[in-house]
Amino acid sequence: MLLVSVTGTGHTRRTTRRGGGTTLHTDDIQPIVDALATRLGRSVAVDDPGIRLIAASRHFGDEDAIRVRSVLDRAVPREIVDWVRTQGVASWAKPGHMESNPQLGLHGRVCAPIRCSGILLGYLWLIDESHELGDAELCMAGDTADTIGLVLYRRMVLRESERSREESALRMLISPEREDRRHAIEELTAGDVLLNAGHVAVLVVETDEPTAPDETLVLEGVVEYLRRTQPSHSMLAMTQQRRAVILLAGPRPYGDSGLRTVAEQLHRRFADAAKTACAVGISTSRPRLDSVAACHREAMTAARAARLLPMFGQIASWGALGPFGLLLRVDLDELTDELPFPGLKELFNDPAHTVLVTTAEEFLDRAGDVNATAHALHVHRSTLYHRLKRVEVITGLSLNNGLDRLTLHLALKLSRLAGHRIT
């Protein structure tokens, strides 16, 4: 489910100097922030609409614990974000004072919403516990917010153009048409979208249906979080309502443990923000860009396993699916009304046979080990034999026959995947 950048301070890049050192270059937001801070003698910070730090000035002794944590962690606790939003700052038309919250360790602040073309792009903050800043200072904060708004708006337009290019490339890479894939590989190889695609892996993240609009936004935010943690030009992604497809590319193979760590981060961040779970599917790592379509099929199948089969949890890897990798690619809709196995409809559809279905599945999952099955079901062996005999009578299958066992086992697994009543 993962195929599976804007950095915390926004478009920061490093260049190598002669002599082996590096020089840090930033875009034009940081100088604007520093100039206002120096002019007012106040700590200044700029956040995005999600209250994630974009840029911050040096401190002037007015900082509180939240400001320090924001600078160090590039984020603030969820309760701070929730409280700030309850103050209605997103609807403010001009700079204003936001009162302190001693319980959260938050000093009073001036908040100047950052907008351009009617779009809320972030917030400019000045700590002002004692309301010492007057109209003139608020006017300066508003003018600075307008200037930053232009910068952020240009950045947003550029980023949307880049994302559109990425999504188009990824969509062609996973296309069933060979010519689409070839064209995408040629473009990516010639351009600078992916700098090194020696090995690729895909993750697919799926939310439950139907997806609320807020969950779609959360999913997009989670993908952006991942993008910020990855090396530049090493990831392509696209989000379509309830699903995100993420391609990771790099010079070395992605190990199973590394991919699972990424999947767990995505799963945790989505759950924290949306308060609901998502399913994540992980492909194997394969060499070369022409393997992306195969990785995508694997990740989609693994995501399906994570949604349908509790045994895999909410994160599933293709390599761990075993026979379910094949079963999950069967068109289950055709199995809903009539399974293609003789004598099984009565077993599955009669509520009185629930215990027999469970018994048969436990028995076959344990390769016919009577002692292990009886122990798992907490029944005597004679009870187990009696139940298994009833299964044979109802289905017309013999559990002493290998082909009949395979038939029943496949039917049990397919019926579970198709949503038949099995407890």
Side-chain angles (χ1 to χ4, degrees):
M1 291 189 294
L2 174 62
L3 261 194
V4 226
S5 126
V6 179
T7 64
T9 55
H11 293 279
T12 300
R13 66 187 189 279
R14 294 181 185 274
T15 57
T16 303
R17 284 189 314 199
R18 292 179 183 176
T22 60
T23 301
L24 189 66
H25 297 276
T26 61
D27 62 16
D28 42 3
I29 289 181
Q30 190 64 48
I32 298 170
V33 168
D34 291 338
L36 180 64
T38 300
R39 189 173 181 184
L40 296 180
R42 298 272 178 166
S43 301
V44 179
V46 173
D47 289 340
D48 69 11
I51 320 297
R52 294 178 291 265
L53 188 66
I54 295 176
S57 73
R58 69 182 180 90
H59 292 150
F60 289 78
D62 55 351
E63 67 276 6
D64 57 11
I66 299 303
R67 171 60 58 79
V68 173
R69 181 167 181 179
S70 173
V71 172
L72 292 177
D73 298 342
R74 320 310 299 177
V76 296
R78 180 72 189 186
E79 59 267 23
I80 298 293
V81 176
D82 292 342
W83 187 83
V84 169
R85 286 175 173 168
T86 63
Q87 307 309 297
V89 293
S91 63
W92 288 8
K94 60 182 181 180
H97 284 90
M98 189 179 74
E99 297 302 322
S100 62
N101 187 327
Q103 290 183 332
L104 294 177
L106 195 70
H107 289 176
R109 281 162 164 73
V110 166
C111 173
I114 301 173
R115 289 188 173 86
C116 187
S117 297
I119 302 172
L120 179 66
L121 299 171
Y123 304 98
L124 182 147
W125 303 96
L126 291 163
I127 295 180
D128 186 27
E129 176 70 2
S130 302
H131 284 232
E132 297 175 357
L133 299 177
D135 291 343
E137 289 81 8
L138 266 62
C139 184
M140 280 191 281
D143 290 343
T144 301
D146 290 343
T147 301
I148 294 174
L150 290 172
V151 176
L152 291 177
Y153 184 78
R154 288 196 297 268
R155 184 185 299 176
M156 181 187 72
V157 172
L158 176 61
R159 184 167 63 242
E160 288 181 351
S161 175
E162 292 173 346
R163 297 294 180 267
S164 177
R165 182 184 177 192
E166 288 184 13
E167 289 186 7
S168 176
L170 180 52
R171 193 172 289 109
M172 289 194 295
L173 278 176
I174 64 177
S175 169
E177 301 296 330
R178 184 188 301 272
E179 186 61 23
D180 287 345
R181 300 196 299 269
R182 185 191 64 78
H183 182 67
I185 292 171
E186 287 179 353
E187 284 198 350
L188 291 171
T189 302
D192 60 355
V193 180
L194 289 177
L195 295 185
N196 191 315
H199 287 82
V200 295
V202 173
L203 290 84
V204 173
V205 184
E206 292 187 348
T207 64
D208 293 332
E209 286 189 281
T211 301
D214 286 349
E215 289 188 6
T216 300
L217 293 176
V218 170
L219 188 57
E220 291 174 354
V222 168
V223 172
E224 281 305 308
Y225 153 78
L226 178 65
R227 195 186 303 278
R228 293 195 298 270
T229 68
Q230 299 302 306
S232 180
H233 302 291
S234 68
M235 171 178 155
L236 302 179
M238 62 181 182
T239 304
Q240 299 170 318
Q241 294 184 334
R242 57 181 291 265
R243 178 181 297 129
V245 180
I246 303 163
L247 165 65
L248 299 177
R252 294 180 300 276
Y254 286 89
D256 291 342
S257 60
L259 289 172
R260 189 166 188 90
T261 296
V262 173
E264 289 171 349
Q265 291 173 345
L266 291 168
H267 184 272
R268 182 170 57 252
R269 290 189 71 90
F270 183 87
D272 289 345
K275 309 303 181 186
T276 59
C278 64
V280 185
I282 308 170
S283 78
T284 56
S285 174
R286 291 171 176 258
R288 302 183 308 276
L289 276 173
D290 58 8
S291 303
V292 171
C295 289
H296 177 248
R297 288 193 297 271
E298 293 177 355
M300 288 289 290
T301 304
R304 196 177 190 188
R307 285 192 294 107
L308 297 177
L309 297 169
M311 63 187 291
F312 291 110
Q314 293 171 334
I315 301 175
S317 301
W318 166 260
L321 297 186
F324 287 105
L326 173 63
L327 297 180
L328 284 162
R329 291 185 175 179
V330 173
D331 186 353
L332 300 178
D333 291 338
E334 295 183 359
L335 303 177
T336 300
D337 297 325
E338 183 176 354
L339 289 167
F341 303 110
L344 295 175
K345 195 168 185 179
E346 181 183 351
L347 180 67
F348 292 141
N349 293 341
D350 189 340
H353 295 157
T354 298
V355 67
L356 299 182
V357 172
T358 301
T359 298
E361 190 166 21
E362 291 284 351
F363 176 72
L364 293 170
D365 283 350
R366 287 167 173 75
D369 188 322
V370 172
N371 289 330
T373 305
H375 179 74
L377 295 173
H378 307 290
V379 298
H380 194 273
R381 286 178 46 159
S382 60
T383 301
L384 175 60
Y385 282 127
H386 175 70
R387 292 181 184 177
L388 294 176
K389 188 62 178 178
R390 289 187 61 198
V391 169
E392 290 182 320
V393 170
I394 293 170
T395 63
L397 301 174
S398 171
L399 294 178
N400 291 324
N401 181 287
L403 186 58
D404 282 359
R405 281 197 186 193
L406 177 60
T407 297
L408 180 56
H409 209 178
L410 284 174
L412 286 164
K413 297 309 180 185
L414 287 171
S415 64
R416 181 181 293 281
L417 294 175
H420 285 261
R421 183 200 54 77
I422 298 181
T423 57

